[in-house]
Amino acid sequence: MTPASSSNADIIVVGTGIAGLAAALALARQGVRVGLLGPRAPLPAPEAGRFDPRVYALSPASRQLLAELGIWDALPAERITGVRAMEVFGDRPAWGNRPARLGLSAWQAGSDYLAWIVESRELERVLRQAVQWSGIRWTTEEFTALGHGPELTGVTLRTSGGQALHARLAVAADGAESRLRAAAGLPANRSDYGATGVVVHLTSELPHQECACQWFTPDGVLALLPMPDTDGGPQVSMVWSMPRAQADTLLGLPEAERVAALEARLALATQGRLGALRVRSPLHGFPLVLQHSPQLTHGGVILVGDAAHVVHPLAGQGLNLGLGDVQALAQVLGGREPFRPVDDPRLLRRYERARAEPLLAMRVVTDGLFHLFGAQPAPVAWLRNAGLDLVDRMPLLKRMLVNGASGA
Ligand SMILES: Cc1cc2nc3c(=O)[nH]c(=O)nc-3n(C[C@H](O)[C@H](O)[C@H](O)COP(=O)(O)OP(=O)(O)OC[C@H]3O[C@@H](n4cnc5c(N)ncnc54)[C@H](O)[C@@H]3O)c2cc1C
């Protein structure tokens, strides 16, 4: 049987997560004819007082992109929390008895907020609505295989429903396990951190005051992100990157024991910074890996989002990097000379060049911090904590860090 075929798009975006939806919208805004290929699983309706376990700290650059796409103002403002300050605690004192501490605040960068905490589900909901209104054709099937287009131009994407979709270029936004990346023969270097990101929402005894807190503990990196207050009190979202064996033990406990064990560990790690912390939602675990593709384009396929790179969540930058890819791709293709088609190799190289530095920088910083705070020898431990304290006393360096942390 000959598969049904369609070829009315210049670019087909494969993957319908946040990077894929944003890429389709951003490219359509640049006048490119775009199609979208990927599943559309139903999203649960928003409910007051109930929050998606997956939240992102979005940088000012991501917010700007979403605003340009008309997404930001459509998000429910009452479910978003701005981050005005950040406190980072070391794993032991450098001098005296006080744990090493670094404080960063938005005013040091001359802005109101360093980042905004947004639920994944709400972001996806608004992006989907915008895709629908923009008239982008969405094929709600999975990509299965890659071939050449008719007369060997462009690409043909085979789908789980038996269709063959033709386009000049395919954007792989199908996540860390990208099937399209593999089909294009693009390698991905992967190393496992041997750690799991445990996420849960907590009720805190003390108000968070729009401050994100992070602890480098002997049990991994713990982050508490400010969330909207609930009837039960102030709320924070936890991401604790724990050694996998510890996470497996914790997640494997019967519910009451799991909650008690986590609350006790939180009390120890946070030393009362937010008062008592109580679990208010189910726990989830995500395996943590470092992955990057040394080449972002080949054979009519270009990578964005987690299909191109996965970083440790300790800097909360994975999706921000993906949205940075989207912004760069839309800029390169939108600004192309009129005689160049969207799959012109020079354009694809421009995109690769534009992303090389930010991707390398984020990989080095997140991986470096993970290993620096994972190291146990006493001199290294003293140095990293002394480093935090020292930076805290250097206003100029702090200002640079704030700009880096907020992606400004
Ligand atoms: C614990 C944790 C905390 C994090 N916190 C933050 C944070 O605070 N800030 C931040 O910026 N980032 C954060 N991240 C990173 C962030 O979650 C990811 O970078 C982001 O979700 C990746 O989005 P994506 O759209 O590229 O990929 P995905 O979300 O994986 O989407 C891929 C899409 O492709 C679809 N797909 C898969 N296979 C196919 C196929 N064969 N055909 C068609 N479609 C397919 C899937 O259905 C899915 O819709 C965190 C990550 C973890 C693990």
Side-chain angles (χ1 to χ4, degrees):
M1 192 178 80
T2 319
S5 77
S6 142
S7 59
N8 63 351
D10 291 325
I11 296 183
I12 294 177
V13 176
V14 176
T16 40
I18 291 166
L21 293 167
L25 278 172
L27 291 169
R29 268 178 66 98
Q30 299 294 342
V32 177
R33 292 178 311 159
V34 190
L36 194 54
L37 171 60
R40 185 167 41 200
L43 292 173
E47 239 182 283
R50 288 177 82 91
F51 294 84
D52 188 2
R54 194 66 172 254
V55 300
Y56 302 119
L58 292 182
S59 67
S62 294
R63 181 194 154 152
Q64 175 69 25
L65 172 68
L66 294 171
E68 283 164 15
L69 297 178
I71 301 300
W72 188 260
D73 287 339
L75 287 166
E78 72 283 2
R79 299 183 77 103
I80 300 178
T81 312
V83 180
R84 283 192 196 273
M86 219 180 138
E87 283 180 34
V88 184
F89 299 91
D91 56 351
R92 58 191 85 172
W95 291 280
N97 298 321
R98 192 178 63 84
R101 177 190 171 277
L102 169 62
L104 304 170
S105 61
W107 62 263
Q108 285 161 324
S111 56
D112 289 339
Y113 294 104
L114 292 170
W116 292 264
I117 309 300
V118 179
E119 292 164 275
S120 184
R121 195 171 60 201
E122 296 314 310
L123 191 49
E124 229 173 296
R125 192 192 316 282
V126 176
L127 280 163
R128 284 184 186 190
Q129 279 162 3
V131 162
Q132 207 173 342
W133 290 332
S134 69
I136 293 169
R137 184 175 162 189
W138 184 340
T139 307
T140 54
E141 296 171 16
E142 296 223 330
F143 160 79
T144 54
L146 179 67
H148 288 294
E151 292 154 30
L152 297 182
T153 57
V155 290
T156 296
L157 305 168
R158 307 261 169 207
T159 75
S160 48
Q163 299 194 58
L165 307 177
H166 305 303
R168 279 188 170 271
L169 186 68
V171 173
D174 50 345
E177 310 296 334
S178 174
R179 198 161 170 179
L180 179 54
R181 179 187 66 219
L186 282 160
N189 299 331
R190 186 183 181 109
S191 51
D192 194 327
Y193 281 116
T196 298
V198 178
V199 304
V200 69
H201 298 325
L202 307 166
T203 303
S204 66
E205 188 182 7
L206 303 176
H208 52 60
Q209 295 174 314
E210 299 175 308
C211 179
C213 295
Q214 192 162 35
W215 289 263
F216 287 87
T217 80
D219 291 341
V221 188
L222 165 65
L224 297 182
L225 307 173
M227 293 274 289
D229 289 348
T230 67
D231 291 346
Q235 182 186 205
V236 290
S237 178
M238 178 194 98
V239 183
W240 197 332
S241 318
M242 294 184 185
R244 188 153 306 144
Q246 283 186 27
D248 288 348
T249 307
L250 180 71
L251 294 169
L253 291 172
E255 195 187 340
E257 282 177 50
R258 184 165 63 224
V259 166
L262 179 61
E263 289 178 351
R265 286 173 73 158
L266 279 164
L268 207 62
T270 62
Q271 294 289 307
R273 169 64 184 80
L274 287 166
L277 292 161
R278 299 276 168 251
V279 169
R280 68 178 308 272
S281 73
L283 272 75
H284 298 270
F286 298 91
L288 302 182
V289 298
L290 174 69
Q291 182 170 290
H292 91 279
S293 295
Q295 212 183 324
L296 294 181
T297 172
H298 179 67
V301 172
I302 194 154
L303 309 180
V304 301
D306 274 21
H309 42 70
V310 182
V311 292
H312 193 287
L314 66 82
Q317 292 297 331
L319 182 62
N320 288 315
L321 275 186
L323 292 175
D325 300 341
V326 168
Q327 169 79 28
L329 186 61
Q331 223 160 25
V332 166
L333 296 187
R336 72 187 188 279
E337 298 84 346
F339 59 86
R340 284 193 203 283
V342 291
D343 57 341
D344 186 313
R346 272 188 213 205
L347 294 177
L348 306 186
R349 275 200 300 277
R350 273 182 212 163
Y351 167 73
E352 264 192 336
R353 278 200 301 273
R355 295 311 289 152
E357 200 188 313
L359 295 183
L360 176 67
M362 194 53 69
R363 206 163 65 237
V364 167
V365 167
T366 52
D367 195 47
L369 275 174
F370 174 80
H371 289 294
L372 181 64
F373 278 90
Q376 291 310 323
V380 182
W382 180 82
L383 208 60
R384 67 194 175 212
N385 288 292
L388 277 184
D389 269 349
L390 266 178
V391 173
D392 199 44
R393 291 171 210 177
M394 298 165 84
L396 254 181
L397 187 54
K398 270 173 80 161
R399 201 188 171 95
M400 282 166 62
L401 277 176
V402 171
N403 285 332
S406 63

